[in-house]
Amino acid sequence: MLSIKNLKVNVDGKSILQGLDLEVKAGEVHAIMGPNGSGKSTLAQVLAGQEQFRIVDGEIRYDGNDLSTLKPEQRAHAGIFLAFQYPVEIPGVSNIYLLKAAVNAARRARGAPELDAMDFLAVVKEKLKLVDMPETFLYRAVNEGFSGGEKKRNEILQLLLLEPRLAILDETDSGLDIDALKIIANGVNSLRSAQRAFVLVTHYQRLLDYIKPDRVHVLAGGRIVRSGGAELALELEERGYGWIEAETGAGA
Amino acid sequence: MSKPDPDIEAIIAREYSAGFVTDIETDAVAPGLNEDVIRLISEKKAEPEFMLEWRLRAYRHWLTMSAPAWAQVHYPPIDYQSIVYYAAPKTDKDRPKTLDEVDPKLLETYEKLGIPLQERALLAGVAVDAVFDSVSVATTYKDKLAELGIIFCAFSEAVREYPELIQQYLGTVVPHTDNFYAALNAAVFSDGTFVYIPKGMRCPMELSTYFRINTANSGQFERTLIVADEGSYVSYLEGCTAPRRDDNQLHAAVVELITLRDAEIKYATVQNWYPGDADGRGGIYNFVTKRGRCRGANSKISWTQVETGSAITWKYPSVILEGDNSIGKFYSVAITNNHQQADTGTKMIHLGKNTKSTIVSKGIAAGHGSNAYRGLVRIAKSAAGARNYTRCDSLLMGDQCGAHTFPYIEVKNATAIAEHEATTSKISDDQLFYLRTRGMSEEDAVNMIVNGFCKEVIKELPMEFAVEAQKLLAVSLEGAVG
Ligand SMILES: Nc1ncnc2c1ncn2[C@@H]1O[C@H](COP(=O)(O)OP(=O)(O)O)[C@@H](O)[C@H]1O
Ligand SMILES: [Mg+2]
């Protein structure tokens, strides 16, 4: 589904990703771990189409097609979703308005009829329960005054509504208490299917207690320096990243 | 955002969607202004003597005045002798009684603008006094309103039918001496709307007028007078859109609102004059004097405006808070794109005790647009306990545009409180990216952010107007990002 080869990305002229390779198949869950500043968010944003990040080499293929020519919205229409590490606030725009617009943009893209306000409300109320958010969140401005945890839950709400084929979660677990973590894990697990893939960017093994990954990768110095099964995450939890960096010669 | 986008270029090149000309024959006098032209206008409208006298007094005063130069707008001097001061559609000679009698070309024009007059009138329950050029062409629901004692008619008709009301109230809010454009309007005003709501009457429907400039070089001098008698209420909607033109066109309207004790007037405008092309050629000059006077205690006047058009806008809907406990409100969205210039704002003049005013101004500048907010809050010595709250937000798109805020606050009573807040922000790349990853095009993302920015004002508009206003914001900002 997703195939990244020798990806090199510059941000403001600085080289951040330096030859990254990653293969994700439909039905799989991949965890990407790594020290701060190693380029995890950069990778996530590049996949979503952030134009400020320049691809200087390599390629990204999604369903076999070159992704780099697609605009962010076209990627969304093709089923790619990014849950942001830092979701932005949009004053004056009610959450429900954005959610409905996003859902209908996705529906239009796949030739499905748009949902009207009543139908949408019924759908969104169901999903709200899954992320344990009160209805009042629908009528507040997007992310405005939301706590860190509420913002993350709102991202998962969007994930549940949009049902993407490739979902990238950038540190959605950071700063959450254990109950919120479970909610997010439940959300992800409820969507797991043979047609869908997940890329989870995370710092902590504990998310992976609830979402069992097929593969775990360590991103350091702008490259994937080690890949393994779920047990790699446990090892990282115990030993930190230093030993891998030492072994592979990748300075963070 | 960083690299130029071919789609955006195409959008920029897209033409103003209401830019077309309907070729209805026009009955116009030769360009130029003198006392004979004024006599001719008055005669054509079969006006009573007092009206002609009033016009001539205004004209003589106007000759002593010069155009204001203080506003943050720039334009070549206007040659007032090259303007046509009277133009009426041919159909005026045989004034239509119903919509069926209206020139089908005219109805077609409204159709093209997406203003299906009949539908609006019949389905939306809105009475429409449509002003086409300078003469009212179609008036609906008038009879129904008349049963309630509500007068809603063309100004020229009111002058003939209700001369005592006109004499009693005309010029009592905006005297002909007020300013250069108000004096000019008083001298040559062609037509407009008169509304009178009798004591205790809550007008059961929104009153609405659509304006449209159509005759080349014919200045538009509308005059609107709305009187809400004691304990009455009315909501009035004004909307306009203009076809494409090469010469700049002057529009100098005057609107006077009067509320007596316990009365309320809500006046909403969605304004879409042709703003000129991408280089600023051919747009409308919109120099308008709008003022309300809360004469009675506990009365209320609110102005809500969405300004998206004009090459130049010069406009300060104001409220004089005379009655004790009276309330004035001003909600405004002004957008300037390409080379548009807007100098707009409000004046709240507090005279009565415990009078309150609220000002919420949202300015959006894009392209080479220049957007100035100019607000005056004057609290007189007599206005014990008066309160004002002012919020002034500017949103900039790109780095070629400008926003300026000129708040003037004069407080002469120590028990009064005036608060002022101002912000300037830019649409952030992060906001745009976030929305685009949710499947929205760049344009839709911009519109969503802009609508959010304007929400406090838009929600003051009646429902069907709010939808129209949002569409207008989108059209006005096409191509503003890239
Ligand atoms: N917009 C930006 N401008 C300049 N440098 C950036 C920007 N975004 C990220 N970086 C830099 O890129 C590197 C990788 O950042 P990021 O991808 O956020 O790391 P991670 O998510 O792994 O913590 C860091 O050194 C960071 O400072
Ligand atoms: Mg990060």
Side-chain angles (χ1 to χ4, degrees):
Chain A
M1 173 181 269
L2 179 69
S3 169
I4 304 175
K5 291 212 169 74
N6 190 34
L7 182 66
K8 294 183 180 168
V9 170
N10 283 6
V11 181
D12 287 346
K14 194 170 121 196
S15 164
I16 304 296
L17 298 183
Q18 308 179 1
L20 183 142
D21 297 289
L22 183 68
E23 293 288 332
V24 178
K25 293 195 182 67
E28 293 180 343
V29 174
H30 289 238
I32 296 184
M33 306 181 80
N36 283 328
S38 59
K40 302 184 296 297
S41 292
T42 303
L43 173 63
Q45 302 246 333
V46 164
L47 291 175
Q50 174 60 271
E51 287 153 2
Q52 283 170 3
F53 298 169
R54 287 191 51 77
I55 296 177
V56 290
D57 202 2
E59 63 170 19
I60 307 172
R61 291 195 169 271
Y62 176 67
D63 288 342
N65 303 315
D66 180 11
L67 199 59
S68 65
T69 58
L70 295 188
K71 297 176 182 183
E73 57 271 33
Q74 292 171 320
R75 298 182 196 205
H77 301 159
I80 295 177
F81 175 83
L82 168 62
F84 281 69
Q85 184 176 2
Y86 303 109
V88 297
E89 302 187 356
I90 307 181
V93 175
S94 71
N95 210 17
I96 191 166
Y97 186 75
L98 167 62
L99 295 171
K100 179 161 167 271
V103 165
N104 280 334
R107 292 181 68 94
R108 268 199 308 278
R110 59 172 189 263
E114 294 188 26
L115 294 180
D116 65 21
M118 294 307 286
D119 290 344
F120 179 73
L121 195 61
V123 173
V124 78
K125 278 184 177 173
E126 273 314 298
K127 307 290 184 193
L128 272 173
K129 282 184 210 146
L130 295 176
V131 290
D132 195 26
M133 283 168 84
E135 249 182 77
T136 49
F137 275 86
L138 296 177
Y139 304 102
R140 286 173 58 181
V142 177
N143 291 318
E144 202 177 40
F146 287 24
S147 71
E150 287 164 352
K151 283 182 182 167
K152 298 295 173 74
R153 267 189 257 184
N154 201 38
E155 295 292 287
I156 296 303
L157 176 63
Q158 296 180 38
L159 170 76
L160 293 173
L161 282 166
L162 293 168
E163 302 184 337
R165 291 178 49 237
L166 173 63
I168 304 147
L169 277 62
D170 190 359
E171 293 204 28
T172 304
D173 55 330
S174 290
L176 294 188
D177 60 31
I178 197 74
D179 291 335
L181 192 72
K182 280 186 194 163
I183 286 167
I184 282 168
N186 286 341
V188 170
N189 286 328
S190 73
L191 281 186
R192 278 184 87 154
S193 83
Q195 286 76 45
R196 192 169 282 132
F198 289 86
V199 174
L200 308 176
V201 172
T202 179
H203 265 306
Y204 307 104
Q205 146 66 22
R206 58 175 198 164
L207 178 69
L208 306 179
D209 287 339
Y210 299 99
I211 308 172
K212 199 170 162 352
D214 296 296
R215 300 289 290 164
V216 175
H217 310 273
V218 178
L219 176 54
R223 281 180 297 135
I224 302 289
V225 294
R226 177 145 319 190
S227 299
E231 72 289 343
L232 177 57
L234 288 168
E235 196 174 355
L236 291 168
E237 179 86 345
E238 224 161 85
R239 300 175 63 188
Y241 298 113
W243 61 280
I244 296 183
E245 284 168 343
E247 267 181 30
T248 59
Chain B
M1 280 293 284
S2 44
K3 52 183 187 283
D5 185 325
D7 293 351
I8 299 286
E9 298 295 327
I11 294 162
I12 291 173
R14 204 188 291 164
E15 309 239 311
Y16 175 67
S17 63
F20 51 83
V21 176
T22 311
D23 51 354
I24 290 177
E25 274 185 82
T26 315
D27 163 16
V29 301
L33 185 56
N34 53 49
E35 294 203 1
D36 287 343
V37 169
I38 291 169
R39 286 176 208 283
L40 183 81
I41 293 170
S42 190
E43 188 189 309
K44 277 198 180 269
K45 306 175 92 49
E47 288 179 349
E49 189 62 22
F50 82 88
M51 204 63 257
L52 175 62
E53 288 306 317
W54 197 76
R55 286 176 182 277
L56 290 172
R57 260 204 313 282
Y59 173 67
R60 287 165 197 149
H61 188 81
W62 178 72
L63 289 175
T64 70
M65 304 173 92
S66 51
W70 44 264
Q72 188 84 3
V73 294
H74 306 280
Y75 55 93
I78 297 170
D79 177 5
Y80 290 91
Q81 292 305 334
S82 71
I83 293 172
V84 173
Y85 287 91
Y86 181 79
K90 266 272 193 293
T91 45
D92 181 42
K93 293 199 170 118
D94 203 345
R95 185 171 271 271
K97 302 287 181 292
T98 70
L99 283 176
D100 300 341
E101 294 174 38
V102 170
D103 188 334
K105 269 251 172 64
L106 179 56
L107 294 177
E108 217 179 281
T109 305
Y110 286 118
E111 221 52 58
K112 280 192 225 167
L113 285 166
I115 307 165
L117 188 59
Q118 307 174 51
E119 252 176 59
R120 244 166 220 284
L122 299 171
L123 297 177
V126 173
V128 176
D129 177 10
V131 173
F132 182 76
D133 263 23
S134 315
V135 168
S136 299
V137 175
T139 303
T140 43
Y141 276 85
K142 222 170 71 182
D143 296 342
K144 203 171 159 190
L145 291 168
E147 278 171 34
L148 303 169
I150 293 170
I151 302 169
F152 176 48
C153 67
F155 202 94
S156 53
E157 187 184 334
V159 168
R160 291 188 299 266
E161 307 282 327
Y162 313 100
E164 54 308 314
L165 282 173
I166 297 293
Q167 270 183 292
Q168 189 180 347
Y169 292 109
L170 180 67
T172 62
V173 186
V174 181
H176 68 263
T177 51
D178 191 83
N179 68 68
F180 182 80
Y181 304 113
L184 180 63
N185 176 289
V188 303
F189 73 88
S190 37
D191 214 330
T193 307
F194 176 69
V195 176
Y196 173 79
I197 315 291
K199 274 185 196 170
M201 175 55 60
R202 222 189 134 77
C203 184
M205 59 188 88
E206 315 265 0
L207 301 182
S208 164
T209 304
Y210 284 88
F211 295 92
R212 185 178 168 89
I213 292 182
N214 197 279
T215 310
N217 281 323
S218 80
Q220 284 276 300
F221 304 97
E222 250 86 47
R223 185 125 199 148
T224 301
L225 174 60
I226 302 177
V227 180
D229 211 327
E230 294 181 2
S232 70
Y233 165 87
V234 64
S235 167
Y236 187 87
L237 315 180
E238 175 204 343
C240 22
T241 164
R244 152 158 232 159
R245 279 291 164 199
D246 282 325
D247 300 328
N248 285 306
Q249 288 187 296
L250 174 65
H251 184 81
V254 170
V255 178
E256 297 181 285
L257 310 182
I258 296 162
T259 49
L260 302 188
R261 194 164 50 79
D262 299 322
E264 177 173 5
I265 298 176
K266 282 188 176 174
Y267 192 106
T269 310
V270 171
Q271 194 260 105
N272 183 25
W273 297 122
Y274 177 56
D277 63 16
D279 295 322
R281 277 190 305 261
I284 302 294
Y285 292 180
N286 190 30
F287 302 146
V288 184
T289 307
K290 288 184 162 175
R291 194 174 303 152
R293 190 168 159 195
C294 286
R295 275 177 43 175
N298 312 313
S299 66
K300 292 182 197 164
I301 289 178
S302 76
W303 297 102
T304 303
Q305 60 173 22
V306 176
E307 295 282 335
T308 67
S310 300
I312 302 177
T313 300
W314 179 95
K315 178 175 168 186
Y316 316 90
S318 307
V319 185
I320 300 169
L321 297 154
E322 218 174 309
D324 291 346
N325 310 312
S326 60
I327 295 174
K329 291 186 176 169
F330 174 76
Y331 295 94
S332 169
V333 170
I335 292 189
T336 50
N337 196 359
N338 295 324
H339 288 265
Q340 279 178 277
Q341 308 170 50
D343 194 297
T344 179
T346 185
K347 289 184 229 169
M348 292 290 173
I349 313 294
H350 292 253
L351 302 175
K353 289 193 195 64
N354 300 316
T355 46
K356 287 193 186 69
S357 63
T358 303
I359 299 171
V360 177
S361 162
K362 304 276 179 176
I364 299 164
H368 292 84
S370 156
N371 210 322
Y373 167 81
R374 195 180 297 277
L376 169 69
V377 176
R378 178 180 291 152
I379 298 182
K381 215 167 175 161
S382 54
R387 294 273 183 287
N388 162 263
Y389 172 72
T390 299
R391 259 278 299 292
C392 222
D393 298 325
S394 305
L395 187 67
L396 302 178
M397 301 171 70
D399 46 20
Q400 307 278 302
C401 54
H404 315 269
T405 305
F406 305 98
Y408 305 93
I409 302 173
E410 301 169 18
V411 180
K412 299 255 168 63
N413 186 301
T415 64
I417 298 173
E419 277 178 86
H420 180 91
E421 288 172 26
T423 66
T424 300
S425 54
K426 279 194 166 196
I427 289 190
S428 81
D429 291 348
D430 286 347
Q431 289 175 325
L432 285 176
F433 180 57
Y434 186 76
L435 293 178
R436 292 179 73 189
T437 65
R438 277 22 179 179
M440 262 139 273
S441 68
E442 190 166 24
E443 255 195 294
D444 288 347
V446 167
N447 288 334
M448 198 178 271
I449 294 167
V450 166
N451 276 312
F453 175 74
C454 301
K455 189 177 195 172
E456 283 165 279
V457 175
I458 303 288
K459 76 177 176 18
E460 293 295 318
L461 292 169
M463 190 62 165
E464 78 262 35
F465 234 35
V467 174
E468 200 172 307
Q470 283 178 336
K471 272 192 231 146
L472 263 184
L473 295 183
V475 171
S476 312
L477 287 172
E478 274 176 0
V481 189

